[in-house]
Amino acid sequence: MNIVIACNRNWYDNIMMTLKKNFSVNSIVLIDKKEDLTYEKLITINPKYIFFPYWSYVIPKSIYEKFECVIFHMTDVPFGRGGSPLQNLVARGIYETKISALRCEEFLDAGPVYLKKNFFLYGAAEEIYLRASKVIGEMIDDIIVKQLQPEEQVGEVVYFSRKKPEEGNIANLKELEQVFDYIRMLDAEGYPNAYIENNSFRFEFKRASLKKDKIIADVIITKKKESYE
């Protein structure tokens, strides 16, 4: 039985390590580039499952209609369908969630669910994604070994919008806890850092620590590019 892991982030190491405990290395194919996820290539692999732990691109209809494609979403669906689940949850003050494994279908995050696992959103985003990758590896193992069949989602549908880079501006926040959450939820590879700006400089924040009456963080200061009209 062949398995494809499609992941375009660097957090898949934990997943591969978990799977290699129970499955032959030769049966697991990793795809980490958009251009490599093609119908023609997948036909030659003939996978039983294609798992998408972290995938930033649209999955072509020709692929999810032919193969059993399983995506992972960091909300208790149908609550939180849509983009930037971690950032949307933390921005709402929600620190306990579930990771949902669901079948890829035409409508975003609307497919039936194989299983869910409890998950806590503490620490910086990079740390959260690394912990999530370990949980996802265990979920993939369960789906394969137990041959889990997905069931339709039940409950009220709540949609999240994908966060935009300018939403990382912390200039107008009023509480230290909010500032801390904004810094940590964007502190991961591939995400724009939380920031503030003045007329000349941009201040970006990473590795924040919340103390009793202050936040200690690393700051990157860059000079803003001058614009000419």
Side-chain angles (χ1 to χ4, degrees), residues 65-121:
E65 286 191 341
K66 172 65 177 178
F67 304 100
E68 190 158 4
C69 295
V70 184
I71 62 177
F72 295 85
H73 196 65
M74 202 179 288
T75 72
D76 187 4
V77 293
F79 175 81
R81 292 181 186 175
S84 309
L86 167 60
Q87 289 73 27
N88 274 290
L89 288 168
V90 173
R92 287 167 169 78
I94 299 173
Y95 306 116
E96 298 181 16
T97 185
K98 294 182 184 292
I99 297 178
S100 300
L102 51 151
R103 177 179 285 163
C104 181
E105 294 191 345
E106 180 180 2
F107 297 105
L108 184 64
D109 302 324
V113 178
Y114 294 86
L115 78 162
K116 298 178 180 181
K117 292 278 190 180
N118 292 329
F119 192 68
F120 299 95
L121 304 177

Side-chain angles (χ1 to χ4, degrees), residues 5-173:
I5 306 295
C7 182
N8 67 318
R9 297 288 187 184
N10 292 328
W11 303 307
Y12 51 71
D13 286 349
N14 285 339
I15 297 171
M16 301 299 286
M17 288 176 62
T18 300
L19 293 179
K20 287 175 182 178
K21 293 178 182 177
N22 294 325
F23 302 98
S24 166
V25 174
N26 294 331
S27 69
I28 304 171
V29 178
L30 174 66
I31 293 178
D32 58 4
K33 296 182 177 62
K34 178 183 178 181
E35 57 269 24
D36 291 337
L37 188 78
T38 65
Y39 180 87
E40 292 74 19
K41 179 172 182 174
L42 292 170
I43 282 291
T44 64
I45 299 170
N46 190 29
K48 168 66 175 174
Y49 298 96
I50 306 174
F51 294 101
F52 294 84
Y54 305 96
W55 191 252
S56 305
Y57 311 107
V58 173
I59 301 170
K61 185 175 182 179
S62 60
I63 291 176
Y64 67 72
E65 286 191 341
K66 172 65 177 178
F67 304 100
E68 190 158 4
C69 295
V70 184
I71 62 177
F72 295 85
H73 196 65
M74 202 179 288
T75 72
D76 187 4
V77 293
F79 175 81
R81 292 181 186 175
S84 309
L86 167 60
Q87 289 73 27
N88 274 290
L89 288 168
V90 173
R92 287 167 169 78
I94 299 173
Y95 306 116
E96 298 181 16
T97 185
K98 294 182 184 292
I99 297 178
S100 300
L102 51 151
R103 177 179 285 163
C104 181
E105 294 191 345
E106 180 180 2
F107 297 105
L108 184 64
D109 302 324
V113 178
Y114 294 86
L115 78 162
K116 298 178 180 181
K117 292 278 190 180
N118 292 329
F119 192 68
F120 299 95
L121 304 177
Y122 299 112
E126 186 83 13
E127 176 190 343
I128 291 170
Y129 288 127
L130 286 170
R131 284 193 286 108
S133 67
K134 186 176 186 301
V135 174
I136 289 170
E138 294 168 353
M139 294 173 74
I140 291 173
D141 189 78
D142 281 347
I143 291 170
I144 298 171
V145 172
K146 299 176 182 178
Q147 293 290 288
L148 298 178
Q149 298 300 310
E151 299 181 358
E152 295 299 323
Q153 297 181 25
V154 177
E156 180 184 359
V157 177
V158 176
Y159 289 99
F160 286 169
S161 298
R162 182 170 294 280
K163 291 289 188 181
K164 300 175 182 178
E166 57 268 25
E167 292 182 76
N169 189 339
I170 60 176
N172 294 321
L173 299 181

